[in-house]
Structure formats: structure tokens, C-alpha cells
């Protein structure tokens, strides 16, 4: 072995040292060391590992019995991760100490071939260990996940392994659950052909309820046929037996529907063909009565169906404050339900011609005549077309009397389309409702143009009443309204939501009086304004441009809802068409303003939470 010259650089000394080892098969030595390191890493990771059969057995056991706790996994052999961790610390410490020792006198070690060889061997072993440790990334870690967490959807891990190109393992057996077949199709209003005469045993009425229920379960009798074959009350009893059996079959228990009211409290004959299908009962909602509130010079009580504690009480407080003041004065400034069919022409130019034709006042009279030929008292007020390429959306607005009017205007809209086809044969109807109506959706067009009844209501509350009844001051409630209902809503970029909780009162009155609860979306459009008068009193108004209500048709004919309408003096058709529906709109606006007044007072005085904790919590039974 040649001794390096003192004048040589470090690089030259290393080259000279390596050249002296030509006879040593260094490549084979390094390969052997790396192989040993990788084998050592694999042995550490796989020590105590269960077989794949054991993994599959655990998975099967956990899926078949999902409620069993995974407690036996701690007894399975686990990888010795602590040994690998300790080896990491030892290798790192040896490597760092050797480097520090070499740096303490590098020149001397470079001139000493034996010492330099010792350092290179130590460093090579450490580096080989570190590279061998990286081999862990090639191990199928999904097997460890499946073994340790067999209940966490093992089929996902299996799919992951297959996607990764790993060997395909047999999919573990999945527990067979009780899947019920889809129910037979019931008649739908949009498909008259679905109403077929039932073909059933001739003696069906002589059978017991359980026997009939069994026939329904066997699909011998269709569920939706029961009301036609039996008394509606008996149909509900039979259907309850059917659903109790189905739910019990799913492990829900016996008599699942026992607590759902179904006796003669609800007249199912009125429900049939009008309000609901496949009836099994009804959900009782408490109805409270707020008021009286002085509305347009008369005392009115407001029925509200709700399960929210404090809502009726809060509205009642608002009614009291209004009646202690000037009373509420409500005005209908617009009355017309809308439907906007979407029609399409072969080209945008032809669509533009249709739009211009509709805008001609003389042509509107032709559409009005066609519309009003379908109804005895409905009146077409206007037709506003909007173009989008080849599409034209014709927003028709009509007066519908005491009905909410959707069925009326839909029928009239078809007549309008037929009249347009006479003038434009290439016109085609895409959808009877083109969503510019806009029904049951938040839309700026309803906020700006109005839909149904457009109402503005106001009242003046003396400052003494604000202090004694509402427990706040006029400046405080005005300031809260400005920053919450106006600025806060503007910051949120709401559409029609410049209020505290108009939807709360609108929905409660809707449910009590048989309105379509889905139409609370647009009916709750409201801006609440509050000002301090020169006398220091509180002036409040609610502007609601799209209250959609009716007092005939829909749910208004049900006994309970009919009684609530009677309570406010708006049951059925009015002496003059539309009087009762307008009265209901006034009441909805009054309830909304009362609710706004009371809630804003609670917010201004920071008493909202205290009120709910006191009145919206069930006392603890002793």
C-alpha cells in the first residue's frame, strides 16, 4: 500500500487510497451490505405478521357481526416497530459520532490508511442501513391497514390495492342484509293513464285488515288502490299493518307506527285525491293563537302551527305592542299569480319576432281572450316576454280570486301557447314552467316584480310601549334593525331577506291555514324598516311583495286548516272574489311584522337567549 504524499489534496489522497484497494471486490461488498440491510428491515417489519388467511378471517368476522367490538386484535402478532425505532437511533448516533471524530483531526486520519479505512467502513454500513430503511416504502402497507382496522370498509382497501397494481386478493364476504324490492308505482297527477281500474278479489271487503295487508305485501293488491276498495279510514289501518310489517322486517321493532296518530281525528276522505298519497297517518303540529292584533281597524287572532318554542309567545308580544299603539294598517299593492312558459323557435330572429308580437297591446288582448276562455273568473293581467337566444319566456300574471291560482294559470297558459302557435306555427313548448315565474325558489324577479299578493304594512308604537312591553328603547331597536336587517343582509348579498325571521311567521301561518309550505321561499320576501318619529315613537313597516296564499283549494279544505281560516274570517270564497285571500295575506303580513318587532326588541335588549332558556326548555320532571 503506497503512502500518500503530504502535498497531495484530500481528493487526491482518497483517489490514491481507493486505487490501492483494486484487488478488493468492493462492489460485491457494498451490494452484500445493502442486501443484508434490506433483509434486516423486512425482517423487522414482518416479524409476528399474521397470514393473509388470518386477515381475511378477521374481516369476515367483523362484517358478519358488525356490532362486535374489535378487542381481539391486540392479541395478534404485531410488527416490532420499537426495534426499528431503536435501530434508527443507534445508526444515526454512530454515524454522527464518527463524523465528529473524523472532523476533529481530518488531516491525521487522511494520512493514516488504516484509520481512514475504518471510517469508510462505518460510514458505508450506516449509509447502507439508511438506504435499506427506504425499502419500507415498497412494502404493502394496505395489508397492515386491513389487519388492524378490519371494520373500516375493507372493500375500499381491496379496491385501492387493485388500482395500485398489487396482487388481487379474494374479496371478503359481505353480510347479506334484508333488501326490500321497490314499491309498485302509484298514480301520478301528470300521467292520467296511470289511473287504472283495480283488479282484485271480489270479496276484499269481507277480509280482515290483516288479510288485506298480506295481499298488499304480496302485491296482489296495489297500495294506492286501498282507498278505492275500502273506506279511507280502513285503508289507513290496513296500510299501517303493511308498513309495520315491513319496518319490523328491517329490525325496527314491532308496531313502529303506533305513536303516529291515525284515528278519525283527520278526515281521510278529504285527503284522498287532493292532499297526499299512500297515507299512513299524520304528524300533529301544535297550533297556538297569537293576538288579538288590531289590523285595519279590526281585531284579529292569528293561528300559528309550529314546534318552535317562544315563536307564538314572541309574536303575541308583538301583537300586543301593535294594538297598544296605532294598530296595523295593511294595503295590497299588487295581486297576481304568475306562470312563465318556455317556448322555443327555430332561430333567434324568429324568437325576437314572437317577443315583439306579444308586446303589442292589440296582440296581448288576443292572448287575454284565449286565457280567460279557460276560467270563469280568472283574469290575465299582463304578459311579459324575455328572450334568451331561441327561447322566449312569457311571464303571465293573472288574478285568481280566492284561490292561490297555480292550477288556474297553468290551464290558461296552455291556451295562450296554442294561440301563439296559430300565429307562429314553428313555435314549440319546451316547458309549461320555465322558472321565470318563479315558484318555490328564491328569485330577484319576485322581489322586484311581485308574485301573488304584494303587501305593505305599517304601525306606530309609542315609546312608552316600546319601553314597557318590548323592554327596550326606540333608538336601540332602530339601530339594531339598521345594522342587522339592512347592512348585515346587504353584506350577505341576500335576495329579499332584509328581515329578522319573516319565514318563521309565514311558515307557521301557512301550516295552520293549509297553504303550500314550499311557497314560503318567495312568500317570506320581506324588508323590515324602522324609524324614530319626531315625537320619539317607533314607526315600523314590512314590505312583502310576493305572499302566495289562497282560501279555497289545496289544503284549505281539510277540517283543521279550515277551522283556522274560519278563525281569522277568511274561510272559502269571499262575497267578492279575492276578498278572503287578501284578508289572509293581510294576516300573514301582520304576523310577520309582530314577529319582527318582538325579535328585534329581544336582540336590542340582549334578552333573546334568556327568553329561550326560560320558555323553550322542558322542565325537568321530579
Amino acid at each position: 500500500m503506497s503512502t500518500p504524499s503530504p502535498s497531495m489534496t484530500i481528493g487526491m489522497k482518497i483517489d490514491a487510497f481507493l486505487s490501492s484497494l483494486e484487488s478488493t471486490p468492493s462492489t460485491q461488498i457494498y451490494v452484500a451490505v445493502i442486501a443484508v440491510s434490506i433483509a434486516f428491515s423486512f425482517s423487522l417489519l414482518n416479524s409476528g405478521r399474521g397470514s393473509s388467511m388470518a386477515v381475511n378471517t378477521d374481516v369476515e368476522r367483523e362484517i358478519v357481526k358488525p356490532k362486535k367490538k374489535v378487542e381481539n386484535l391486540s392479541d395478534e402478532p404485531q410488527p416490532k416497530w420499537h426495534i426499528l425505532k431503536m435501530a434508527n437511533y443507534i445508526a444515526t448516533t454512530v454515524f454522527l459520532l464518527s463524523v465528529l471524530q473524523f472532523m476533529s483531526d481530518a488531516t491525521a486520519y487522511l494520512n493514516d490508511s488504516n484509520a481512514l479505512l475504518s471510517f469508510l467502513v462505518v460510514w458505508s454500513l450506516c449509509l447502507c442501513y439508511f438506504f435499506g430503511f427506504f425499502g419500507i416504502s415498497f412494502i404493502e402497507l394496505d395489508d397492515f391497514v386491513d389487519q388492524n382496522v378490519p371494520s373500516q370498509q375493507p372493500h375500499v382497501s381491496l379496491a385501492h390495492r387493485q388500482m395500485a397494481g398489487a396482487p388481487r386478493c379474494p374479496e371478503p364476504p359481505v353480510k347479506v342484509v334484508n333488501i326490500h324490492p321497490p314499491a309498485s308505482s302509484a298514480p301520478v297527477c301528470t300521467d292520467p293513464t296511470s289511473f287504472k281500474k283495480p283488479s282484485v278479489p271480489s270479496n276484499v271487503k269481507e277480509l280482515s285488515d290483516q288479510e288485506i295487508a298480506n295481499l298488499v305485501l304480496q302485491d296482489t293488491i296495489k297500495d294506492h288502490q286501498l282507498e278505492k276498495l275500502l273506506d279511507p279510514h280502513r285503508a289507513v289501518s290496513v296500510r299501517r299493518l303493511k308498513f309495520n310489517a315491513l319496518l319490523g322486517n328491517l329490525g325496527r321493532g314491532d308496531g313502529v307506527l303506533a305513536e303516529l296518530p291515525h284515528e278519525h281525528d283527520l278526515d281521510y276522505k278529504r285527503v284522498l285525491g287532493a292532499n297526499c298519497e299512500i297515507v299512513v297517518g299524520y304528524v300533529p303540529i301544535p297550533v297556538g293563537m297569537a293576538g288579538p292584533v288590531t289590523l285595519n281597524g279590526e281585531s284579529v287572532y292569528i293561528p300559528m302551527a309550529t314546534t318552535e318554542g317562544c315563536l307564538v309567545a314572541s309574536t303575541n308580544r308583538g301583537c300586543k305592542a301593535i294594538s297598544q299603539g296605532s294598530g296595523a294598517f295593511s294595503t295590497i299593492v299588487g295581486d297576481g299569480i304568475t306562470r312563465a312558459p318556455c317556448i322555443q323557435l327555430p332561430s333567434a330572429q324568429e324568437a325576437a319576432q314572437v317577443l315583439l308580437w306579444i308586446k303589442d297591446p292589440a296582440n296581448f288582448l288576443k292572448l287575454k281572450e284565449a286565457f280567460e276562455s279557460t276560467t270563469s273568473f280568472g283574469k290575465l293581467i299582463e304578459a311579459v316576454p324575455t328572450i334568451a337566444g331561441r327561447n322566449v319566456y312569457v311571464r303571465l300574471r293573472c288574478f285568481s280570486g280566492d284561490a292561490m291560482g297555480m292550477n288556474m294559470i297553468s290551464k290558461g297558459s296552455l291556451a295562450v301557447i296554442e294561440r301563439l302557435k296559430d300565429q307562429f306555427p314553428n313555435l314549440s313548448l319546451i316547458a309549461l314552467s320555465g322558472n321565470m315565474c318563479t315558484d318555490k325558489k328564491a328569485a330577484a324577479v319576485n322581489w322586484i316584480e311581485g308574485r301573488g299578493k304584494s303587501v305593505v304594512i305599517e304601525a306606530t308604537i309609542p315609546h312608552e310601549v316600546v319601553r314597557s312591553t318590548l323592554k327596550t328603547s326606540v333608538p336601540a331597536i332602530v339601530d339594531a334593525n339598521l345594522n342587522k336587517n339592512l347592512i348585515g343582509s346587504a353584506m350577505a348579498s341576500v335576495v329579499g331577506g332584509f328581515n329578522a325571521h319573516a319565514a318563521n311567521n309565514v311558515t307557521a301561518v301557512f301550516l295552520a291555514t293549509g297553504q303550500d309550505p314550499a311557497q314560503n321561499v318567495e312568500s317570506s320576501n320581506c324588508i323590515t324598516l324602522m324609524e324614530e318619529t319626531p315625537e320619539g315613537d317607533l314607526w315600523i313597516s314590512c314590505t312583502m311583495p310576493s305572499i302566495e296564499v289562497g282560501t279555497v283549494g289545496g289544503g284549505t279544505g281539510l277540517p283543521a286548516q279550515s277551522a283556522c281560516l274560519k278563525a281569522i274570517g277568511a274561510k272559502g270564497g269571499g262575497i267578492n272574489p279575492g276578498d278572503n285571500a287578501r284578508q289572509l295575506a293581510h294576516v300573514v303580513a301582520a304576523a310577520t311584522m309582530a314577529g319582527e318587532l318582538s325579535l328585534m326588541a329581544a336582540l336590542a335588549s340582549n334578552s333573546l337567549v334568556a327568553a329561550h332558556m326560560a320558555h323553550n326548555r322542558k322542565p325537568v320532571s321530579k
Side-chain angles (χ1 to χ4, degrees):
M1 182 180 293
S2 61
T3 304
S5 174
S7 61
M8 297 175 63
T9 64
I10 295 177
M12 295 171 65
K13 293 178 181 179
I14 294 177
D15 290 338
F17 172 74
L18 293 176
S19 64
S20 66
L21 299 176
E22 290 180 356
S23 60
T24 304
S26 58
T27 302
Q28 290 85 341
I29 293 175
Y30 278 104
V31 170
V33 173
I34 291 174
V36 171
S37 299
I38 294 176
F40 178 63
S41 299
F42 270 86
S43 65
L44 287 173
L45 291 170
N46 291 280
S47 61
R49 180 181 175 188
S51 65
S52 59
M53 183 63 69
V55 173
N56 288 339
T57 302
D58 287 341
V59 172
E60 179 179 356
R61 180 169 62 252
E62 189 63 26
I63 295 178
V64 174
K65 298 180 181 180
K67 295 183 179 179
K68 184 177 180 180
K69 294 184 179 180
V70 188
E71 296 176 347
N72 61 331
L73 293 177
S74 59
D75 299 331
E76 295 287 342
Q78 300 295 318
K80 302 298 189 294
W81 296 108
H82 63 283
I83 297 179
L84 182 60
K85 183 177 180 181
M86 183 181 301
N88 288 342
Y89 284 134
I90 294 174
T92 304
T93 302
V94 170
F95 180 76
L96 293 177
L97 290 176
S98 64
V99 171
L100 292 174
Q101 183 177 356
F102 179 82
M103 292 175 61
S104 65
D105 194 0
T107 303
Y109 290 128
L110 286 173
N111 293 325
D112 186 346
S113 300
N114 293 329
L116 183 59
L117 178 60
S118 300
F119 279 113
L120 290 176
V121 171
V122 172
W123 293 343
S124 298
L125 291 174
C126 291
L127 290 175
C128 288
Y129 173 79
F130 294 148
F131 283 117
F133 176 72
F134 293 147
I136 295 174
S137 62
F138 298 101
I139 296 176
E140 293 297 336
L141 295 180
D142 283 340
D143 291 339
F144 294 109
V145 175
D146 287 346
Q147 183 178 359
N148 287 294
V149 193
S151 62
Q152 299 298 318
Q153 298 182 354
H155 60 281
V156 176
S157 298
L158 177 64
H160 175 72
R161 292 196 300 273
Q162 293 170 0
M163 292 174 61
R168 183 184 181 92
C169 299
E171 187 168 355
V174 179
K175 180 182 178 181
V176 178
V177 296
N178 206 355
I179 303 298
H180 292 178
S184 302
S185 298
V188 291
C189 300
T190 55
D191 184 13
T193 62
S194 65
F195 290 89
K196 298 179 180 179
K197 187 175 180 180
S199 177
V200 296
S202 57
N203 64 335
V204 62
K205 292 185 178 180
E206 301 174 3
L207 302 177
S208 68
D209 289 354
Q210 186 61 61
E211 290 174 328
I212 299 174
N214 291 337
L215 292 176
V216 176
L217 287 168
Q218 298 165 10
D219 211 29
T220 302
I221 296 178
K222 303 297 181 182
D223 190 300
H224 61 267
Q225 296 175 343
L226 290 176
E227 279 81 358
K228 296 180 181 179
L229 301 173
L230 309 169
D231 176 82
H233 296 285
R234 190 181 179 193
V236 171
S237 297
V238 170
R239 188 174 290 117
R240 289 168 66 89
L241 292 173
K242 168 202 167 182
F243 279 100
N244 272 325
L246 292 175
L247 293 172
N249 183 257
L250 292 176
R252 304 293 192 269
D254 297 328
V256 182
L257 301 180
E259 296 300 320
L260 183 67
H262 74 288
E263 298 297 340
H264 296 259
D265 299 309
L266 180 65
D267 189 349
Y268 294 114
K269 292 181 180 179
R270 297 189 181 222
V271 175
L272 177 61
N275 302 112
C276 190
E277 299 76 43
I278 315 180
V279 180
V280 296
Y282 64 94
V283 176
I285 302 178
V287 176
M289 194 73 75
V293 59
T294 304
L295 175 61
N296 291 336
E298 297 180 351
S299 291
V300 175
Y301 289 87
I302 305 173
M304 301 173 63
T306 181
T307 58
E308 180 182 351
C310 284
L311 179 60
V312 177
S314 177
T315 304
N316 196 58
R317 182 174 74 151
C319 290
K320 178 181 179 181
I322 292 171
S323 298
Q324 287 176 320
S326 66
F329 297 92
S330 179
T331 304
I332 304 287
V333 297
D335 188 357
I337 194 66
T338 61
R339 177 63 88 198
C342 173
I343 57 178
Q344 193 173 81
L345 282 299
S347 68
Q349 293 299 313
E350 292 176 81
Q353 293 301 316
V354 172
L355 180 144
L356 295 173
W357 189 90
I358 294 174
K359 285 188 172 183
D360 189 325
N363 295 330
F364 168 74
L365 293 178
K366 298 176 182 178
L367 299 181
K368 179 179 176 65
E369 180 182 6
F371 181 95
E372 294 178 2
S373 67
T374 65
T375 175
S376 57
F377 57 87
K379 305 295 179 184
L380 183 63
I381 301 172
E382 66 177 354
V384 179
T386 301
I387 191 170
R390 298 191 298 129
N391 291 354
V392 179
Y393 301 84
V394 188
R395 193 170 192 261
L396 304 173
R397 184 165 68 94
C398 85
F399 170 75
S400 56
D402 289 304
M404 187 272 289
M406 290 306 302
N407 291 334
M408 180 188 302
I409 195 171
S410 295
K411 183 179 179 182
S413 296
L414 289 174
V416 168
I417 299 303
E418 291 301 319
R419 181 63 187 85
L420 285 172
K421 281 186 176 180
D422 293 340
Q423 187 68 28
F424 303 92
N426 292 332
L427 177 152
S428 61
L429 176 63
I430 300 300
L432 184 61
S433 173
N435 267 13
M436 273 201 67
C437 313
T438 296
D439 189 43
K440 300 173 183 176
K441 289 168 282 293
V445 67
N446 292 335
W447 176 245
I448 298 170
E449 299 293 337
R451 190 171 194 253
K453 310 294 189 288
S454 298
V455 184
V456 58
I457 188 170
E458 64 179 341
T460 301
I461 316 299
H463 61 273
E464 296 89 351
V465 174
V466 173
R467 184 177 64 254
S468 62
T469 300
L470 300 178
K471 309 301 182 184
T472 187
S473 66
V474 174
I477 193 172
V478 169
D479 187 61
N481 185 75
L482 171 64
N483 288 283
K484 169 184 165 63
N485 289 343
L486 304 185
I487 299 176
S489 295
M491 294 301 296
S493 298
V494 301
V495 175
F498 296 90
N499 57 77
H501 68 151
N504 236 345
N505 293 74
V506 171
T507 304
V509 177
F510 269 31
L511 291 174
T513 59
Q515 308 306 303
D516 188 340
Q519 288 184 324
N520 82 333
V521 176
E522 60 268 40
S523 296
S524 298
N525 280 339
C526 172
I527 181 170
T528 300
L529 301 176
M530 294 185 186
E531 298 176 15
E532 185 175 5
T533 68
E535 294 78 18
D537 299 329
L538 173 66
W539 176 84
I540 179 175
S541 75
C542 288
T543 304
M544 306 179 70
S546 49
I547 300 177
E548 298 164 5
V549 293
T551 57
V552 296
T556 64
L558 296 174
Q561 289 81 348
S562 179
C564 291
L565 286 171
K566 187 176 180 180
I568 63 175
K571 179 180 180 298
I575 297 177
N576 298 311
D579 282 353
N580 283 352
R582 293 192 187 98
Q583 173 64 8
L584 179 55
H586 289 309
V587 171
V588 171
T592 301
M593 187 170 69
E596 292 287 283
L597 182 62
S598 186
L599 176 56
M600 290 309 303
L603 291 172
S605 63
N606 291 317
S607 61
L608 177 64
V609 175
H612 274 272
M613 294 302 295
H615 303 293
N616 196 21
R617 292 292 183 271
K618 184 177 180 180
V620 178
S621 58
K622 297 181 180 179

